[in-house]
Amino acid sequence: MHERYTCDGQMMANRTNYYFEYPSVVAMLIREVRYGINVGLRSVKISPFGPSSFTYDVGNVFVAYAAGDHVELEVPGNGTRTYMVDGMGKEGTEYEIHPGVPVKKTTKGTVDASGRLVFEGYAGTRVMAIKME
Protein backbone atom coordinates (compact mmCIF):
# COMPACT_ATOMS: atom_id res chain seq x y z
CA MET A 1 0.00 0.00 0.00
CA HIS A 2 1.30 3.40 -0.93
CA GLU A 3 1.11 6.45 1.28
CA ARG A 4 -1.63 8.25 -0.65
CA TYR A 5 -4.47 7.52 -3.02
CA THR A 6 -5.66 9.26 -6.17
CA CYS A 7 -9.13 10.81 -6.49
CA ASP A 8 -10.45 7.55 -7.96
CA GLY A 9 -9.23 5.49 -5.01
CA GLN A 10 -6.16 4.01 -6.69
CA MET A 11 -2.74 3.96 -5.02
CA MET A 12 -0.49 6.80 -6.23
CA ALA A 13 2.43 5.24 -8.09
CA ASN A 14 4.75 8.19 -7.51
CA ARG A 15 4.43 8.17 -3.71
CA THR A 16 6.34 6.17 -1.10
CA ASN A 17 5.41 2.55 -0.53
CA TYR A 18 4.65 2.91 3.18
CA TYR A 19 2.70 5.19 5.49
CA PHE A 20 5.48 7.26 7.01
CA GLU A 21 3.37 10.41 7.25
CA TYR A 22 0.77 9.19 9.73
CA PRO A 23 3.21 8.15 12.48
CA SER A 24 4.90 11.53 12.06
CA VAL A 25 1.59 13.30 12.62
CA VAL A 26 0.98 11.22 15.76
CA ALA A 27 4.45 12.09 17.07
CA MET A 28 3.79 15.79 16.47
CA LEU A 29 0.41 15.59 18.22
CA ILE A 30 1.96 13.90 21.24
CA ARG A 31 4.67 16.55 21.43
CA GLU A 32 2.44 19.56 20.89
CA VAL A 33 -0.81 18.48 22.57
CA ARG A 34 0.01 16.02 25.33
CA TYR A 35 3.32 17.57 26.39
CA GLY A 36 2.54 21.07 25.12
CA ILE A 37 5.97 21.54 23.56
CA ASN A 38 5.82 24.17 20.84
CA VAL A 39 9.16 25.13 19.31
CA GLY A 40 8.84 28.26 17.20
CA LEU A 41 11.38 30.35 15.34
CA ARG A 42 11.86 32.88 18.15
CA SER A 43 10.09 31.28 21.10
CA VAL A 44 9.56 28.00 22.90
CA LYS A 45 6.36 27.34 24.82
CA ILE A 46 5.81 24.48 27.26
CA SER A 47 2.18 24.03 28.29
CA PRO A 48 1.43 20.37 29.06
CA PHE A 49 -2.10 19.00 28.87
CA GLY A 50 -2.23 16.69 31.87
CA PRO A 51 1.22 15.58 32.99
CA SER A 52 2.80 17.56 35.81
CA SER A 53 6.17 15.87 35.42
CA PHE A 54 7.81 14.32 32.36
CA THR A 55 11.00 13.96 30.36
CA TYR A 56 10.72 14.31 26.59
CA ASP A 57 13.88 13.40 24.67
CA VAL A 58 13.08 12.81 21.00
CA GLY A 59 15.37 13.85 18.16
CA ASN A 60 16.98 17.18 18.93
CA VAL A 61 14.33 18.35 21.44
CA PHE A 62 14.87 17.70 25.15
CA VAL A 63 12.51 18.82 27.91
CA ALA A 64 12.61 17.75 31.57
CA TYR A 65 9.58 19.35 33.23
CA ALA A 66 8.48 19.25 36.86
CA ALA A 67 5.61 21.67 37.48
CA GLY A 68 6.34 24.15 40.24
CA ASP A 69 9.93 22.96 40.68
CA HIS A 70 12.16 23.11 37.58
CA VAL A 71 12.40 22.87 33.82
CA GLU A 72 15.39 21.92 31.69
CA LEU A 73 15.28 22.44 27.93
CA GLU A 74 17.38 22.06 24.82
CA VAL A 75 16.00 22.91 21.40
CA PRO A 76 17.68 23.08 17.98
CA GLY A 77 19.08 26.23 16.48
CA ASN A 78 21.21 29.06 17.81
CA GLY A 79 20.62 32.53 19.15
CA THR A 80 18.26 33.90 21.77
CA ARG A 81 14.79 32.46 22.32
CA THR A 82 11.96 33.49 24.61
CA TYR A 83 10.94 30.55 26.79
CA MET A 84 7.40 30.45 28.19
CA VAL A 85 6.68 27.67 30.67
CA ASP A 86 3.19 27.17 32.13
CA GLY A 87 2.29 25.54 35.45
CA MET A 88 5.33 26.82 37.34
CA GLY A 89 3.52 27.78 40.54
CA LYS A 90 1.85 30.71 42.18
CA GLU A 91 2.34 34.32 41.16
CA GLY A 92 5.61 35.71 42.47
CA THR A 93 7.43 32.36 42.72
CA GLU A 94 11.08 32.99 41.84
CA TYR A 95 13.33 30.86 39.67
CA GLU A 96 17.04 30.90 39.03
CA ILE A 97 17.52 31.02 35.26
CA HIS A 98 20.55 29.43 33.60
CA PRO A 99 20.30 30.80 30.03
CA GLY A 100 22.97 28.53 28.54
CA VAL A 101 26.04 29.25 26.44
CA PRO A 102 27.34 31.82 25.48
CA VAL A 103 26.04 33.66 28.57
CA LYS A 104 26.72 31.63 31.68
CA LYS A 105 25.51 34.30 34.09
CA THR A 106 22.38 33.26 35.96
CA THR A 107 19.40 35.59 36.23
CA LYS A 108 16.15 35.56 38.14
CA GLY A 109 12.65 34.96 36.74
CA THR A 110 9.27 35.40 38.38
CA VAL A 111 6.02 33.54 37.73
CA ASP A 112 3.14 35.75 36.54
CA ALA A 113 -0.54 35.64 37.61
CA SER A 114 -1.35 32.85 35.11
CA GLY A 115 1.40 30.56 36.47
CA ARG A 116 3.69 31.19 33.50
CA LEU A 117 7.43 31.68 33.78
CA VAL A 118 8.92 33.74 30.92
CA PHE A 119 12.66 34.10 30.40
CA GLU A 120 15.34 34.49 27.72
CA GLY A 121 17.81 31.73 26.88
CA TYR A 122 19.85 30.30 24.03
CA ALA A 123 18.89 27.58 21.58
CA GLY A 124 21.31 24.77 20.85
CA THR A 125 22.43 24.57 24.48
CA ARG A 126 20.94 23.40 27.78
CA VAL A 127 18.72 26.03 29.44
CA MET A 128 17.38 25.60 33.00
CA ALA A 129 15.00 27.27 35.41
CA ILE A 130 15.23 26.06 39.01
CA LYS A 131 12.88 27.11 41.79
CA MET A 132 14.58 29.23 44.41
CA GLU A 133 14.03 28.20 48.02
Side-chain angles (χ1 to χ4, degrees):
M1 280 176 79
H2 292 266
E3 174 198 3
R4 294 192 181 167
Y5 291 92
T6 61
C7 294
D8 62 356
Q10 299 298 314
M11 287 187 275
M12 292 180 93
N14 62 344
R15 299 299 298 190
T16 60
N17 290 328
Y18 303 104
Y19 291 107
F20 76 91
E21 194 171 80
Y22 301 119
S24 297
V25 170
V26 171
M28 288 187 299
L29 285 172
I30 289 171
R31 182 172 102 180
E32 293 187 17
V33 176
R34 175 75 172 149
Y35 295 114
I37 301 168
N38 188 343
V39 180
L41 294 175
R42 296 280 178 215
S43 64
V44 177
K45 182 178 176 186
I46 310 297
S47 186
F49 185 70
S52 60
S53 180
F54 65 86
T55 299
Y56 180 92
D57 188 6
V58 177
N60 53 4
V61 175
F62 173 82
V63 177
Y65 174 87
D69 186 52
H70 72 274
V71 65
E72 190 174 343
L73 306 114
E74 189 168 344
V75 297
N78 54 39
T80 304
R81 301 288 186 275
T82 299
Y83 292 87
M84 298 168 280
V85 186
D86 289 340
M88 295 307 283
K90 296 179 182 178
E91 181 179 13
T93 303
E94 293 184 333
Y95 283 82
E96 183 178 69
I97 309 298
H98 300 267
V101 177
V103 176
K104 294 182 180 181
K105 182 180 179 184
T106 61
T107 59
K108 192 169 23 172
T110 305
V111 175
D112 67 15
S114 67
R116 179 178 284 179
L117 177 65
V118 179
F119 59 93
E120 298 292 317
Y122 289 89
T125 185
R126 196 62 56 104
V127 175
M128 293 182 280
I130 302 167
K131 185 176 178 181
M132 297 174 71
E133 296 297 327

